[in-house]
Amino acid sequence: MIKAAYKTRQQELLISYLEESCGKHFTAEDLKKHFEEQNISLGTATIYRQLEKLVSEGKVLKYFVDEHSAACFEYLGGNCAEDEQHFHLKCEVCGTLFHLECEELAEIKSHLFKDHGFELNPFRTVLYGTCQNCRK
Amino acid sequence: MIKAAYKTRQQELLISYLEESCGKHFTAEDLKKHFEEQNISLGTATIYRQLEKLVSEGKVLKYFVDEHSAACFEYLGGNCAEDEQHFHLKCEVCGTLFHLECEELAEIKSHLFKDHGFELNPFRTVLYGTCQNCRK
DNA sequence: TTGCGTGCAAAGGTTTTGCATGGCA
DNA sequence: TGCCATGCAAAACCTTTGCACGCAA
């Protein structure tokens, strides 16, 4: 049984703002404030529910900058969502989000699968570390 | 000004249990339950405060598996600290947290480093997916 | 005796949930 | 009309903090 998935005004507002802001990241509160400033009402629960859906579709990435502070969300865009074959690297120093090419993903993924029976979900996985620039 | 750092019964109990359970991970709640089962009283705040101290001393590792669920703690001190470099695999279905062996870690890590200049932080990174059991 | 550690309960912040209402198809 | 999405408030959740008391040195 498949859910109907209606289109709503709130959904469109949220997605369209995220699309505009590709490459930036937001907390749920950031988003709420943004719409408040425009006198657009968007409930917190709605924001979380929409974001969760987008995350599970691979259109938005969710990650954590600080240990126990709010989650960050970042739009990955239509083009990225299409092909499943990429990883996300998050630099803990500068905060940049990198996209890792397919070959490496395939390598790691198949390694985990063959040797450990573990089927990796690249949508949800974020590799944390330090990028080239920040290591200097 | 240096703090006095008293030795307490609770502290000893906690450390000794962690030492026994080297290589395993716990949430604060796991620890609390463990001591409750033995009819040993150990307040939640005390557990957090002791763990925090151990983390800052580098004897215990603290990491986050799921977005907003409890932090995991793992003893690093003493004998097992050596090369206990491992990855964390989290099954999205059953919720189990697995520890991945060293060789694979090294492989993935050096790959990212050599080919992408990215220095992976294995403590912070959790690989999400589906484990062998849950794929059946 | 001094002052750190403990334990309880309350506060803190983020996210989820229940439920009535609104709105898409 | 049927049923999903929304929004509010309350609940849930983990963790931190305030404060009085206990206990190590």
Side-chain angles (χ1 to χ4, degrees), chain A residues 6-7 28-29 45 48-49 70-71:
Chain A
Y6 294 174
K7 251 190 200 168
E29 206 196 341
Y48 278 107
R49 282 188 277 228

PDB file of all heavy atoms in Angstrom, chain A residues 6-7 28-29 45 48-49 70-71, chain C residues 14-19 23-25:
ATOM      1  N   TYR A   6       0.344  13.986  -0.831  1.00  0.00           N
ATOM      2  CA  TYR A   6      -0.228  15.212  -1.385  1.00  0.00           C
ATOM      3  C   TYR A   6       0.819  16.298  -1.499  1.00  0.00           C
ATOM      4  O   TYR A   6       1.789  16.331  -0.773  1.00  0.00           O
ATOM      5  CB  TYR A   6      -1.350  15.733  -0.478  1.00  0.00           C
ATOM      6  CG  TYR A   6      -2.555  14.844  -0.413  1.00  0.00           C
ATOM      7  CD1 TYR A   6      -3.593  15.138   0.463  1.00  0.00           C
ATOM      8  CD2 TYR A   6      -2.658  13.718  -1.211  1.00  0.00           C
ATOM      9  CE1 TYR A   6      -4.702  14.331   0.546  1.00  0.00           C
ATOM     10  CE2 TYR A   6      -3.763  12.905  -1.134  1.00  0.00           C
ATOM     11  CZ  TYR A   6      -4.784  13.210  -0.260  1.00  0.00           C
ATOM     12  OH  TYR A   6      -5.874  12.412  -0.182  1.00  0.00           O
ATOM     13  N   LYS A   7       0.558  17.200  -2.423  1.00  0.00           N
ATOM     14  CA  LYS A   7       1.372  18.406  -2.491  1.00  0.00           C
ATOM     15  C   LYS A   7       0.716  19.459  -1.607  1.00  0.00           C
ATOM     16  O   LYS A   7      -0.490  19.681  -1.690  1.00  0.00           O
ATOM     17  CB  LYS A   7       1.381  18.933  -3.920  1.00  0.00           C
ATOM     18  CG  LYS A   7       2.694  18.773  -4.634  1.00  0.00           C
ATOM     19  CD  LYS A   7       2.630  19.548  -5.943  1.00  0.00           C
ATOM     20  CE  LYS A   7       3.671  19.060  -6.926  1.00  0.00           C
ATOM     21  NZ  LYS A   7       3.433  19.611  -8.270  1.00  0.00           N
ATOM     22  N   ALA A  28      16.516  23.083  12.057  1.00  0.00           N
ATOM     23  CA  ALA A  28      15.069  23.224  11.959  1.00  0.00           C
ATOM     24  C   ALA A  28      14.650  24.621  12.423  1.00  0.00           C
ATOM     25  O   ALA A  28      13.748  25.235  11.855  1.00  0.00           O
ATOM     26  CB  ALA A  28      14.391  22.143  12.790  1.00  0.00           C
ATOM     27  N   GLU A  29      15.340  25.103  13.411  1.00  0.00           N
ATOM     28  CA  GLU A  29      15.004  26.419  13.959  1.00  0.00           C
ATOM     29  C   GLU A  29      15.331  27.534  12.968  1.00  0.00           C
ATOM     30  O   GLU A  29      14.570  28.491  12.849  1.00  0.00           O
ATOM     31  CB  GLU A  29      15.772  26.643  15.260  1.00  0.00           C
ATOM     32  CG  GLU A  29      15.088  27.615  16.194  1.00  0.00           C
ATOM     33  CD  GLU A  29      16.043  28.121  17.272  1.00  0.00           C
ATOM     34  OE1 GLU A  29      17.094  27.473  17.507  1.00  0.00           O
ATOM     35  OE2 GLU A  29      15.750  29.186  17.849  1.00  0.00           O
ATOM     36  N   ALA A  45       6.644  21.136  13.850  1.00  0.00           N
ATOM     37  CA  ALA A  45       6.413  19.722  13.559  1.00  0.00           C
ATOM     38  C   ALA A  45       6.390  19.472  12.059  1.00  0.00           C
ATOM     39  O   ALA A  45       6.934  18.473  11.577  1.00  0.00           O
ATOM     40  CB  ALA A  45       5.105  19.270  14.194  1.00  0.00           C
ATOM     41  N   TYR A  48       9.968  19.471  10.704  1.00  0.00           N
ATOM     42  CA  TYR A  48      10.633  18.206  10.999  1.00  0.00           C
ATOM     43  C   TYR A  48      10.083  17.073  10.146  1.00  0.00           C
ATOM     44  O   TYR A  48      10.831  16.233   9.646  1.00  0.00           O
ATOM     45  CB  TYR A  48      10.486  17.846  12.477  1.00  0.00           C
ATOM     46  CG  TYR A  48      11.496  18.539  13.359  1.00  0.00           C
ATOM     47  CD1 TYR A  48      11.118  19.576  14.200  1.00  0.00           C
ATOM     48  CD2 TYR A  48      12.833  18.151  13.347  1.00  0.00           C
ATOM     49  CE1 TYR A  48      12.051  20.209  15.014  1.00  0.00           C
ATOM     50  CE2 TYR A  48      13.766  18.784  14.151  1.00  0.00           C
ATOM     51  CZ  TYR A  48      13.368  19.817  14.988  1.00  0.00           C
ATOM     52  OH  TYR A  48      14.291  20.444  15.786  1.00  0.00           O
ATOM     53  N   ARG A  49       8.778  17.065   9.978  1.00  0.00           N
ATOM     54  CA  ARG A  49       8.188  15.959   9.218  1.00  0.00           C
ATOM     55  C   ARG A  49       8.571  16.029   7.743  1.00  0.00           C
ATOM     56  O   ARG A  49       8.888  15.017   7.120  1.00  0.00           O
ATOM     57  CB  ARG A  49       6.672  15.948   9.418  1.00  0.00           C
ATOM     58  CG  ARG A  49       6.305  15.344  10.782  1.00  0.00           C
ATOM     59  CD  ARG A  49       4.813  15.123  10.959  1.00  0.00           C
ATOM     60  NE  ARG A  49       4.123  16.333  11.376  1.00  0.00           N
ATOM     61  CZ  ARG A  49       3.239  16.387  12.393  1.00  0.00           C
ATOM     62  NH1 ARG A  49       2.980  15.317  13.107  1.00  0.00           N
ATOM     63  NH2 ARG A  49       2.650  17.515  12.705  1.00  0.00           N
ATOM     64  N   ALA A  70      21.454  21.085  17.777  1.00  0.00           N
ATOM     65  CA  ALA A  70      20.453  20.754  16.770  1.00  0.00           C
ATOM     66  C   ALA A  70      21.066  20.140  15.509  1.00  0.00           C
ATOM     67  O   ALA A  70      22.201  20.441  15.142  1.00  0.00           O
ATOM     68  CB  ALA A  70      19.675  22.012  16.405  1.00  0.00           C
ATOM     69  N   ALA A  71      20.292  19.313  14.850  1.00  0.00           N
ATOM     70  CA  ALA A  71      20.713  18.675  13.611  1.00  0.00           C
ATOM     71  C   ALA A  71      20.783  19.702  12.484  1.00  0.00           C
ATOM     72  O   ALA A  71      20.027  20.663  12.473  1.00  0.00           O
ATOM     73  CB  ALA A  71      19.731  17.573  13.247  1.00  0.00           C
TER      74      ALA A  71
ATOM     75  P    DT C  14      17.912  23.980  20.949  1.00  0.00           P
ATOM     76  OP1  DT C  14      18.974  24.416  20.050  1.00  0.00           O
ATOM     77  OP2  DT C  14      16.695  24.791  21.139  1.00  0.00           O
ATOM     78  O5'  DT C  14      17.459  22.506  20.527  1.00  0.00           O
ATOM     79  C5'  DT C  14      18.456  21.507  20.425  1.00  0.00           C
ATOM     80  C4'  DT C  14      17.813  20.185  20.089  1.00  0.00           C
ATOM     81  O4'  DT C  14      16.891  19.832  21.137  1.00  0.00           O
ATOM     82  C3'  DT C  14      17.011  20.176  18.784  1.00  0.00           C
ATOM     83  O3'  DT C  14      17.437  19.066  18.022  1.00  0.00           O
ATOM     84  C2'  DT C  14      15.570  20.057  19.242  1.00  0.00           C
ATOM     85  C1'  DT C  14      15.713  19.333  20.569  1.00  0.00           C
ATOM     86  N1   DT C  14      14.633  19.562  21.563  1.00  0.00           N
ATOM     87  C2   DT C  14      13.973  18.477  22.096  1.00  0.00           C
ATOM     88  O2   DT C  14      14.229  17.334  21.790  1.00  0.00           O
ATOM     89  N3   DT C  14      13.003  18.795  23.015  1.00  0.00           N
ATOM     90  C4   DT C  14      12.629  20.054  23.440  1.00  0.00           C
ATOM     91  O4   DT C  14      11.746  20.196  24.269  1.00  0.00           O
ATOM     92  C5   DT C  14      13.360  21.135  22.837  1.00  0.00           C
ATOM     93  C7   DT C  14      13.042  22.538  23.221  1.00  0.00           C
ATOM     94  C6   DT C  14      14.316  20.853  21.937  1.00  0.00           C
ATOM     95  P    DT C  15      16.897  18.850  16.574  1.00  0.00           P
ATOM     96  OP1  DT C  15      17.939  18.103  15.865  1.00  0.00           O
ATOM     97  OP2  DT C  15      16.372  20.112  16.031  1.00  0.00           O
ATOM     98  O5'  DT C  15      15.689  17.855  16.841  1.00  0.00           O
ATOM     99  C5'  DT C  15      15.989  16.543  17.302  1.00  0.00           C
ATOM    100  C4'  DT C  15      14.722  15.829  17.687  1.00  0.00           C
ATOM    101  O4'  DT C  15      14.003  16.592  18.674  1.00  0.00           O
ATOM    102  C3'  DT C  15      13.728  15.594  16.541  1.00  0.00           C
ATOM    103  O3'  DT C  15      13.614  14.188  16.382  1.00  0.00           O
ATOM    104  C2'  DT C  15      12.439  16.253  17.009  1.00  0.00           C
ATOM    105  C1'  DT C  15      12.636  16.323  18.517  1.00  0.00           C
ATOM    106  N1   DT C  15      11.903  17.407  19.220  1.00  0.00           N
ATOM    107  C2   DT C  15      10.986  17.052  20.177  1.00  0.00           C
ATOM    108  O2   DT C  15      10.737  15.890  20.465  1.00  0.00           O
ATOM    109  N3   DT C  15      10.365  18.106  20.797  1.00  0.00           N
ATOM    110  C4   DT C  15      10.564  19.453  20.554  1.00  0.00           C
ATOM    111  O4   DT C  15       9.937  20.309  21.183  1.00  0.00           O
ATOM    112  C5   DT C  15      11.546  19.756  19.541  1.00  0.00           C
ATOM    113  C7   DT C  15      11.842  21.179  19.199  1.00  0.00           C
ATOM    114  C6   DT C  15      12.161  18.730  18.927  1.00  0.00           C
ATOM    115  P    DT C  16      12.590  13.568  15.347  1.00  0.00           P
ATOM    116  OP1  DT C  16      13.189  12.322  14.858  1.00  0.00           O
ATOM    117  OP2  DT C  16      12.158  14.619  14.403  1.00  0.00           O
ATOM    118  O5'  DT C  16      11.354  13.189  16.278  1.00  0.00           O
ATOM    119  C5'  DT C  16      11.603  12.452  17.458  1.00  0.00           C
ATOM    120  C4'  DT C  16      10.295  12.172  18.165  1.00  0.00           C
ATOM    121  O4'  DT C  16       9.779  13.378  18.758  1.00  0.00           O
ATOM    122  C3'  DT C  16       9.180  11.618  17.273  1.00  0.00           C
ATOM    123  O3'  DT C  16       8.619  10.518  17.966  1.00  0.00           O
ATOM    124  C2'  DT C  16       8.205  12.789  17.145  1.00  0.00           C
ATOM    125  C1'  DT C  16       8.409  13.513  18.460  1.00  0.00           C
ATOM    126  N1   DT C  16       8.147  14.975  18.483  1.00  0.00           N
ATOM    127  C2   DT C  16       7.317  15.491  19.450  1.00  0.00           C
ATOM    128  O2   DT C  16       6.752  14.800  20.269  1.00  0.00           O
ATOM    129  N3   DT C  16       7.178  16.851  19.416  1.00  0.00           N
ATOM    130  C4   DT C  16       7.771  17.744  18.542  1.00  0.00           C
ATOM    131  O4   DT C  16       7.570  18.939  18.624  1.00  0.00           O
ATOM    132  C5   DT C  16       8.625  17.132  17.556  1.00  0.00           C
ATOM    133  C7   DT C  16       9.313  18.008  16.556  1.00  0.00           C
ATOM    134  C6   DT C  16       8.784  15.793  17.569  1.00  0.00           C
ATOM    135  P    DT C  17       7.505   9.644  17.259  1.00  0.00           P
ATOM    136  OP1  DT C  17       7.794   8.264  17.655  1.00  0.00           O
ATOM    137  OP2  DT C  17       7.396  10.022  15.840  1.00  0.00           O
ATOM    138  O5'  DT C  17       6.177  10.119  18.005  1.00  0.00           O
ATOM    139  C5'  DT C  17       6.206  10.325  19.404  1.00  0.00           C
ATOM    140  C4'  DT C  17       4.822  10.760  19.885  1.00  0.00           C
ATOM    141  O4'  DT C  17       4.729  12.199  19.852  1.00  0.00           O
ATOM    142  C3'  DT C  17       3.645  10.230  19.053  1.00  0.00           C
ATOM    143  O3'  DT C  17       2.588   9.927  19.938  1.00  0.00           O
ATOM    144  C2'  DT C  17       3.299  11.423  18.168  1.00  0.00           C
ATOM    145  C1'  DT C  17       3.589  12.574  19.121  1.00  0.00           C
ATOM    146  N1   DT C  17       3.918  13.882  18.505  1.00  0.00           N
ATOM    147  C2   DT C  17       3.474  15.037  19.108  1.00  0.00           C
ATOM    148  O2   DT C  17       2.817  15.036  20.116  1.00  0.00           O
ATOM    149  N3   DT C  17       3.847  16.195  18.485  1.00  0.00           N
ATOM    150  C4   DT C  17       4.593  16.313  17.335  1.00  0.00           C
ATOM    151  O4   DT C  17       4.867  17.408  16.872  1.00  0.00           O
ATOM    152  C5   DT C  17       5.026  15.060  16.743  1.00  0.00           C
ATOM    153  C7   DT C  17       5.839  15.093  15.491  1.00  0.00           C
ATOM    154  C6   DT C  17       4.675  13.918  17.348  1.00  0.00           C
ATOM    155  P    DG C  18       1.386   9.027  19.450  1.00  0.00           P
ATOM    156  OP1  DG C  18       1.523   7.721  20.103  1.00  0.00           O
ATOM    157  OP2  DG C  18       1.283   9.110  17.974  1.00  0.00           O
ATOM    158  O5'  DG C  18       0.147   9.817  20.081  1.00  0.00           O
ATOM    159  C5'  DG C  18       0.323  10.683  21.201  1.00  0.00           C
ATOM    160  C4'  DG C  18      -0.972  11.437  21.493  1.00  0.00           C
ATOM    161  O4'  DG C  18      -0.843  12.798  21.037  1.00  0.00           O
ATOM    162  C3'  DG C  18      -2.227  10.902  20.812  1.00  0.00           C
ATOM    163  O3'  DG C  18      -3.352  11.229  21.621  1.00  0.00           O
ATOM    164  C2'  DG C  18      -2.237  11.652  19.489  1.00  0.00           C
ATOM    165  C1'  DG C  18      -1.661  13.012  19.892  1.00  0.00           C
ATOM    166  N9   DG C  18      -0.805  13.636  18.881  1.00  0.00           N
ATOM    167  C8   DG C  18       0.032  13.009  17.985  1.00  0.00           C
ATOM    168  N7   DG C  18       0.687  13.843  17.216  1.00  0.00           N
ATOM    169  C5   DG C  18       0.253  15.101  17.634  1.00  0.00           C
ATOM    170  C6   DG C  18       0.615  16.389  17.176  1.00  0.00           C
ATOM    171  O6   DG C  18       1.414  16.683  16.290  1.00  0.00           O
ATOM    172  N1   DG C  18      -0.061  17.390  17.863  1.00  0.00           N
ATOM    173  C2   DG C  18      -0.964  17.181  18.870  1.00  0.00           C
ATOM    174  N2   DG C  18      -1.505  18.260  19.407  1.00  0.00           N
ATOM    175  N3   DG C  18      -1.310  15.982  19.317  1.00  0.00           N
ATOM    176  C4   DG C  18      -0.662  14.992  18.651  1.00  0.00           C
ATOM    177  P    DC C  19      -4.777  10.717  21.240  1.00  0.00           P
ATOM    178  OP1  DC C  19      -5.445  10.448  22.519  1.00  0.00           O
ATOM    179  OP2  DC C  19      -4.709   9.681  20.186  1.00  0.00           O
ATOM    180  O5'  DC C  19      -5.414  12.036  20.618  1.00  0.00           O
ATOM    181  C5'  DC C  19      -5.241  13.291  21.281  1.00  0.00           C
ATOM    182  C4'  DC C  19      -5.839  14.405  20.444  1.00  0.00           C
ATOM    183  O4'  DC C  19      -4.842  14.906  19.518  1.00  0.00           O
ATOM    184  C3'  DC C  19      -7.029  13.979  19.588  1.00  0.00           C
ATOM    185  O3'  DC C  19      -8.016  14.992  19.615  1.00  0.00           O
ATOM    186  C2'  DC C  19      -6.431  13.849  18.191  1.00  0.00           C
ATOM    187  C1'  DC C  19      -5.402  14.974  18.229  1.00  0.00           C
ATOM    188  N1   DC C  19      -4.304  14.841  17.247  1.00  0.00           N
ATOM    189  C2   DC C  19      -3.681  16.002  16.781  1.00  0.00           C
ATOM    190  O2   DC C  19      -4.062  17.089  17.203  1.00  0.00           O
ATOM    191  N3   DC C  19      -2.670  15.899  15.883  1.00  0.00           N
ATOM    192  C4   DC C  19      -2.284  14.695  15.441  1.00  0.00           C
ATOM    193  N4   DC C  19      -1.287  14.636  14.560  1.00  0.00           N
ATOM    194  C5   DC C  19      -2.916  13.497  15.907  1.00  0.00           C
ATOM    195  C6   DC C  19      -3.909  13.619  16.801  1.00  0.00           C
ATOM    196  P    DG C  23      -7.042  25.646   5.078  1.00  0.00           P
ATOM    197  OP1  DG C  23      -6.084  26.773   4.966  1.00  0.00           O
ATOM    198  OP2  DG C  23      -8.503  25.850   4.958  1.00  0.00           O
ATOM    199  O5'  DG C  23      -6.620  24.532   4.017  1.00  0.00           O
ATOM    200  C5'  DG C  23      -5.327  23.937   4.080  1.00  0.00           C
ATOM    201  C4'  DG C  23      -5.248  22.819   3.065  1.00  0.00           C
ATOM    202  O4'  DG C  23      -5.990  21.673   3.567  1.00  0.00           O
ATOM    203  C3'  DG C  23      -5.890  23.137   1.708  1.00  0.00           C
ATOM    204  O3'  DG C  23      -5.167  22.438   0.724  1.00  0.00           O
ATOM    205  C2'  DG C  23      -7.272  22.541   1.835  1.00  0.00           C
ATOM    206  C1'  DG C  23      -6.913  21.264   2.581  1.00  0.00           C
ATOM    207  N9   DG C  23      -8.001  20.597   3.258  1.00  0.00           N
ATOM    208  C8   DG C  23      -9.093  21.167   3.877  1.00  0.00           C
ATOM    209  N7   DG C  23      -9.897  20.280   4.409  1.00  0.00           N
ATOM    210  C5   DG C  23      -9.300  19.060   4.120  1.00  0.00           C
ATOM    211  C6   DG C  23      -9.696  17.745   4.452  1.00  0.00           C
ATOM    212  O6   DG C  23     -10.701  17.387   5.078  1.00  0.00           O
ATOM    213  N1   DG C  23      -8.798  16.793   3.968  1.00  0.00           N
ATOM    214  C2   DG C  23      -7.652  17.088   3.276  1.00  0.00           C
ATOM    215  N2   DG C  23      -6.895  16.060   2.901  1.00  0.00           N
ATOM    216  N3   DG C  23      -7.264  18.324   2.969  1.00  0.00           N
ATOM    217  C4   DG C  23      -8.126  19.243   3.417  1.00  0.00           C
ATOM    218  P    DC C  24      -4.780  23.154  -0.632  1.00  0.00           P
ATOM    219  OP1  DC C  24      -3.534  23.913  -0.450  1.00  0.00           O
ATOM    220  OP2  DC C  24      -6.005  23.797  -1.131  1.00  0.00           O
ATOM    221  O5'  DC C  24      -4.453  21.891  -1.551  1.00  0.00           O
ATOM    222  C5'  DC C  24      -3.319  21.087  -1.246  1.00  0.00           C
ATOM    223  C4'  DC C  24      -3.612  19.640  -1.571  1.00  0.00           C
ATOM    224  O4'  DC C  24      -4.731  19.170  -0.774  1.00  0.00           O
ATOM    225  C3'  DC C  24      -3.983  19.390  -3.030  1.00  0.00           C
ATOM    226  O3'  DC C  24      -3.148  18.361  -3.527  1.00  0.00           O
ATOM    227  C2'  DC C  24      -5.447  18.975  -2.980  1.00  0.00           C
ATOM    228  C1'  DC C  24      -5.567  18.370  -1.585  1.00  0.00           C
ATOM    229  N1   DC C  24      -6.917  18.438  -0.983  1.00  0.00           N
ATOM    230  C2   DC C  24      -7.542  17.254  -0.589  1.00  0.00           C
ATOM    231  O2   DC C  24      -6.964  16.174  -0.781  1.00  0.00           O
ATOM    232  N3   DC C  24      -8.770  17.308  -0.015  1.00  0.00           N
ATOM    233  C4   DC C  24      -9.358  18.492   0.183  1.00  0.00           C
ATOM    234  N4   DC C  24     -10.567  18.492   0.753  1.00  0.00           N
ATOM    235  C5   DC C  24      -8.742  19.722  -0.216  1.00  0.00           C
ATOM    236  C6   DC C  24      -7.520  19.652  -0.785  1.00  0.00           C
ATOM    237  P    DA C  25      -3.035  18.104  -5.058  1.00  0.00           P
ATOM    238  OP1  DA C  25      -1.698  17.550  -5.321  1.00  0.00           O
ATOM    239  OP2  DA C  25      -3.503  19.314  -5.755  1.00  0.00           O
ATOM    240  O5'  DA C  25      -4.120  16.948  -5.267  1.00  0.00           O
ATOM    241  C5'  DA C  25      -3.925  15.696  -4.624  1.00  0.00           C
ATOM    242  C4'  DA C  25      -5.096  14.793  -4.948  1.00  0.00           C
ATOM    243  O4'  DA C  25      -6.251  15.192  -4.168  1.00  0.00           O
ATOM    244  C3'  DA C  25      -5.530  14.827  -6.417  1.00  0.00           C
ATOM    245  O3'  DA C  25      -5.741  13.502  -6.863  1.00  0.00           O
ATOM    246  C2'  DA C  25      -6.842  15.604  -6.384  1.00  0.00           C
ATOM    247  C1'  DA C  25      -7.381  15.219  -5.019  1.00  0.00           C
ATOM    248  N9   DA C  25      -8.315  16.183  -4.444  1.00  0.00           N
ATOM    249  C8   DA C  25      -8.312  17.545  -4.575  1.00  0.00           C
ATOM    250  N7   DA C  25      -9.272  18.156  -3.938  1.00  0.00           N
ATOM    251  C5   DA C  25      -9.970  17.123  -3.335  1.00  0.00           C
ATOM    252  C6   DA C  25     -11.104  17.098  -2.517  1.00  0.00           C
ATOM    253  N6   DA C  25     -11.759  18.198  -2.129  1.00  0.00           N
ATOM    254  N1   DA C  25     -11.527  15.900  -2.076  1.00  0.00           N
ATOM    255  C2   DA C  25     -10.871  14.795  -2.459  1.00  0.00           C
ATOM    256  N3   DA C  25      -9.789  14.689  -3.229  1.00  0.00           N
ATOM    257  C4   DA C  25      -9.390  15.905  -3.639  1.00  0.00           C
TER     258       DA C  25
END
